[in-house]
Amino acid sequence: MPPRFPSLVLAALLIFGTPAMSAPLVTPFQQALAQAAAEDDAVAAFYRARSFAPIWMGDEADGQWGPADRREAFLRVLSQADRHGLPKGRYDADAIRAEFAAANDAAARGALEVAMTRRFLRFARDIGTGILDPKRVDPTIVLDVPAPDRTELLHAFTDGNPHDIVRSLAPTSPHYARLLRERMRLAEMATKGGWGAPVADVTLRPGAEGPAVVALRNRLIRMGYLHMSPTARYGAAMEAAIRAFQIDHGLTPDGEVGPATIAALNVPIEDRMAQILVGLERQRWMNKPLEPRHILVNLAEQHAYVVDDGKVTFDTVVVVGADTPDRRTPEFSHTMTHMVVNPSWYVPRSITVNEYLPALKRGGARHLEVYSRSGRVNPNNVDFSRYNARNFPFSLRQPPGPRNALGRVKFMFPNRWNIYLHDTPSRSLFARDLRTFSHGCVRVADPLELAYHLLAPQTDTPRQDFDRVLRSGAERRMNLEQPIGVHIVYWSAWVTPTGRANYRGDPYGRDVRVRDALRAAGVELGASRS
C-alpha cells in the first residue's frame, strides 16, 4: 500500500497555502476536498479562498442561500438538460441524487463536493458556449467561442440566488429561445406519430385530385400548414399552403409539388429535430452580445441581413463559396470598416495560376492587367508557355469598370481569408434556389441598396453621396463612421419572430459533422423515420 504522506502534504499545502489565512484543523472532509481539488487550479483556489467551506454538502446556509438551495437549483435544471440537447448521461439528476445518498463518510463527501463543482462548471460551459469545439469539428468553423470566467461564475453562484444563476446559464438570445420552443413542439408531435405517411413521388399541380392529393393534404395538416379539411382536390387553400411551405424551406414558391418540394416534405420529423439540436449548439457558440448594428450572412440560406437593435432592417440574397475544399466560405466574425467604390480586382494567386494562366497561354484574358515586380508589363510581350503554377512570376489586376468581377462596390472587413461582400456583373445565379458558386467571397444581389443602407446613419443623403463617387469612375474608399460587426454563420434551422420554422439544406456538409460529433458526445439525436 503506498504511503499517505504525499497526499497529506498536498492537503496541508492547499489548506495552509494562503499566508493571510489562519490555520484551521485538517479534517478528513477538508483533506478529501483538497486532494480532489488539487487537479484544477481554479477550483483549488476557489475553495482555498473560502477556507474549504462546502457549497454543496450539508444543509447549513452560509448566507441567504445554502448548499441545499444550490443542490435543488442545480438538480432542477439538470433534469431539463436534454431539452437543450445536452448529453443526457452526463447530467443525470437521479444518478447524482444517488451519489449524495451513497456519500456516507467524510472522504466520499469531500470528493463529491469537488465533483459537483466540476460538474456545475462543465454544465455551465456546455449549455452556455457549447458542447463541442467548433474548430475540431470542422477547421472552416473559425468562431471565437466565448469562455466564461470560471472563478467569477463560482462566486456568482455562491453569493447570489442559485435559481437565478442556473437559469441564466443558457443563451438568452431570441434565436435560441425560438429554437427551443420549436424543438419541444416537434418532440410532442413525434410522440403522436410525427407527420404521418410520406408523400408519393408524383408531381402535383393545382387542380389535381386523387389519393396522392389526399396524402399531401394529410401531411400538410400534420405539419401545421393546412387546416383540417376533407378535400381530395388540390385547390387554392392547398396551393397557398404549399407556397408557404416552399418559402419556409428556401424553395421557389411556385405552388407546385415537384421533386425538390417532395424531398423537403418527406424529411422525417426526427431529422428536423436533429437539425434543431445542431442549431442550438451553433447558437451556443455565439452566446455573446452582438453589436447594435451588425450583418448576418447565413451560408446555409445564402442570404444576408442587416440587423439594427435586434430587428432586420435590410436583407438580400447572396452567392457564397462553391462546395469544394478550397472555395467553401468559412464561418467567422469580424468588423466592417469601409467600402470601396469602383474597386479594382487583384486576382488571388490560386485563381491566377489555376484559371487565368491557361487562358493567357491561349492568348486570352486580355481584360486583365499583368504586373511584374518592376511594374505593369505588356502581355503580348510575354511567352506565357514558359510558366506553370509554381514559377509564374506575375500578378493580375482587373481595373474598375462594368466587367470588373467585383462590380461597382466591395464591402471590407479585413480578414486572413480575404473574404468580403461585393457586387458582381453576373446576375443570373441569384435566381437559383442553391447559390454556392463563388471562390469564397460573398456576392450581393442588391449591393447599391446595401451601400445606401450602411451609409444612412452618417449622412442625410446616402444615395446621392454614394452615386456621386460611383459616377466618377475612380476607385475610392468610403469609411463607415461606426464600424459594423459581420458574422458569417451557417444556420440551416431557425424560427422567425412570427414563429415560422425555416429549414435549409447542408451545402457544405458541416451540419452532418456537427451532428455526428454531438452524437459521439452523448447527445440523443434519435433515429430517422417519417
Side-chain angles (χ1 to χ4, degrees):
M1 182 175 178
R4 298 182 61 202
F5 179 71
S7 54
L8 287 172
V9 171
L10 175 61
L13 286 173
L14 283 167
I15 294 174
F16 303 125
T18 304
M21 187 171 66
S22 60
L25 294 175
V26 180
T27 67
F29 172 82
Q30 290 173 324
Q31 180 179 336
L33 192 161
Q35 287 181 271
E39 298 175 10
D40 189 314
D41 291 343
V43 173
F46 168 76
Y47 277 108
R48 192 162 55 239
R50 57 185 285 112
S51 301
F52 288 83
I55 65 174
W56 303 101
M57 308 305 294
D59 296 312
E60 184 177 349
D62 49 4
Q64 183 178 0
W65 308 97
D69 301 300
R70 297 184 193 110
R71 291 196 303 270
E72 179 188 357
F74 188 42
L75 291 173
R76 180 178 298 175
V77 78
L78 287 190
S79 67
Q80 301 174 355
D82 61 327
R83 292 186 184 180
H84 295 264
L86 301 185
K88 191 172 182 180
R90 186 180 296 178
Y91 301 113
D92 188 332
D94 291 335
I96 293 172
R97 290 188 181 92
E99 290 178 25
F100 274 92
N104 51 16
D105 59 50
R109 288 194 295 273
L112 181 56
E113 168 73 26
V114 175
M116 284 295 295
T117 296
R118 289 181 175 158
R119 192 173 277 141
F120 169 77
L121 290 171
R122 185 172 189 179
F123 176 80
R125 183 197 65 194
D126 285 355
I127 198 170
T129 60
I131 303 162
L132 309 173
D133 179 350
K135 296 186 186 71
R136 293 186 178 183
V137 176
D138 189 305
T140 60
I141 308 176
V142 193
L143 301 174
D144 293 324
V145 178
D149 186 288
R150 300 166 77 230
T151 301
E152 289 183 5
L153 183 58
L154 285 173
H155 282 298
F157 184 59
T158 54
D159 296 342
N161 183 332
H163 299 276
D164 291 343
I165 297 300
V166 295
R167 281 194 295 265
S168 71
L169 296 176
T172 57
S173 76
H175 298 290
Y176 190 85
R178 292 194 291 261
L179 280 174
L180 268 184
R181 286 195 294 269
E182 180 64 10
R183 180 175 185 266
M184 288 187 282
R185 187 184 74 84
L186 294 187
E188 182 179 358
M189 177 63 69
T191 63
K192 300 175 181 178
W195 291 326
V199 176
D201 190 10
V202 178
T203 298
L204 296 173
R205 297 180 176 87
E209 297 180 346
V213 174
V214 172
L216 173 63
R217 177 202 69 194
N218 293 342
R219 188 93 169 170
L220 289 171
I221 291 171
R222 299 282 292 179
M223 287 181 160
Y225 284 95
L226 193 64
H227 294 298
M228 290 292 293
S229 170
T231 185
R233 185 175 184 276
Y234 193 154
M238 196 173 297
E239 181 182 357
I242 284 296
R243 289 182 188 275
F245 176 89
Q246 290 169 330
I247 290 171
D248 290 347
H249 293 76
L251 304 172
T252 301
D254 56 13
E256 297 184 359
V257 182
T261 300
I262 292 170
L265 283 164
N266 285 337
V267 172
I269 193 170
E270 288 77 14
D271 286 6
R272 293 303 189 201
M273 291 170 64
Q275 202 169 343
I276 288 176
L277 288 179
V278 170
L280 290 170
E281 178 72 358
R282 287 185 171 279
Q283 290 295 326
R284 289 190 283 263
W285 294 341
M286 292 188 65
N287 184 20
K288 56 186 176 183
L290 300 185
E291 304 81 356
R293 165 168 267 208
H294 60 269
I295 295 173
L296 282 177
V297 179
N298 188 354
L299 301 176
E301 184 191 11
Q302 300 100 58
H303 213 100
Y305 303 87
V306 179
V307 181
D308 287 290
D309 297 320
K311 295 182 179 180
V312 173
T313 56
F314 177 87
D315 69 283
T316 178
V317 297
V318 297
V319 170
V320 301
D323 184 25
T324 60
D326 60 333
R327 295 189 180 186
R328 297 180 188 120
T329 306
E331 298 168 57
F332 66 100
S333 295
H334 224 287
T335 303
M336 183 179 292
T337 55
H338 64 281
M339 61 185 79
V340 178
V341 187
N342 300 313
S344 298
W345 182 39
Y346 296 91
V347 185
R349 175 76 181 180
S350 60
I351 300 176
T352 294
V353 298
N354 293 326
E355 298 183 27
Y356 284 120
L357 178 55
L360 289 166
K361 290 179 179 180
R362 297 190 300 268
R366 289 304 188 257
H367 63 293
L368 299 174
E369 297 173 350
V370 181
Y371 289 84
S372 69
R373 292 185 177 179
S374 302
R376 186 176 176 183
V377 300
N378 186 339
N380 296 320
N381 298 331
V382 178
D383 180 7
F384 290 105
S385 65
R386 298 171 48 200
Y387 302 109
N388 56 42
R390 291 186 300 277
N391 66 8
F392 187 70
F394 304 104
S395 60
L396 303 179
R397 170 184 178 266
Q398 186 180 23
R403 296 179 59 196
N404 186 282
L406 305 183
R408 295 157 290 181
V409 60
K410 64 178 179 178
F411 305 88
M412 302 301 293
F413 42 105
N415 56 83
R416 63 187 174 96
W417 301 277
N418 202 25
I419 298 293
Y420 42 84
L421 278 64
H422 66 84
D423 184 19
T424 176
S426 303
R427 313 298 300 174
S428 61
L429 298 177
F430 291 115
R432 304 280 189 93
D433 286 345
L434 180 65
R435 297 177 294 277
T436 52
F437 300 102
S438 81
H439 288 86
C441 283
V442 180
R443 304 175 190 170
V444 180
D446 299 309
L448 300 192
E449 293 298 326
L450 175 59
Y452 304 150
H453 192 75
L454 297 183
L455 291 171
Q458 65 192 58
T459 174
D460 293 332
T461 55
R463 185 179 298 267
Q464 294 91 323
D465 293 354
F466 181 89
D467 288 350
R468 183 168 54 252
V469 176
L470 181 64
R471 286 193 301 269
S472 75
E475 185 169 3
R476 180 177 163 188
R477 171 173 172 153
M478 296 186 75
N479 289 328
L480 296 171
E481 293 180 2
Q482 293 294 328
I484 301 171
V486 178
H487 304 280
I488 300 183
V489 301
Y490 192 99
W491 297 351
S492 68
W494 71 95
V495 181
T496 69
T498 58
R500 297 282 291 270
N502 274 247
Y503 299 98
R504 297 297 185 270
D506 184 13
Y508 297 159
R510 291 178 188 166
D511 271 7
V512 171
R513 288 187 280 279
V514 175
R515 185 192 65 205
D516 291 346
L518 288 173
R519 180 178 285 115
V523 175
E524 295 182 1
L525 296 169
S528 292
R529 57 170 210 237
S530 296

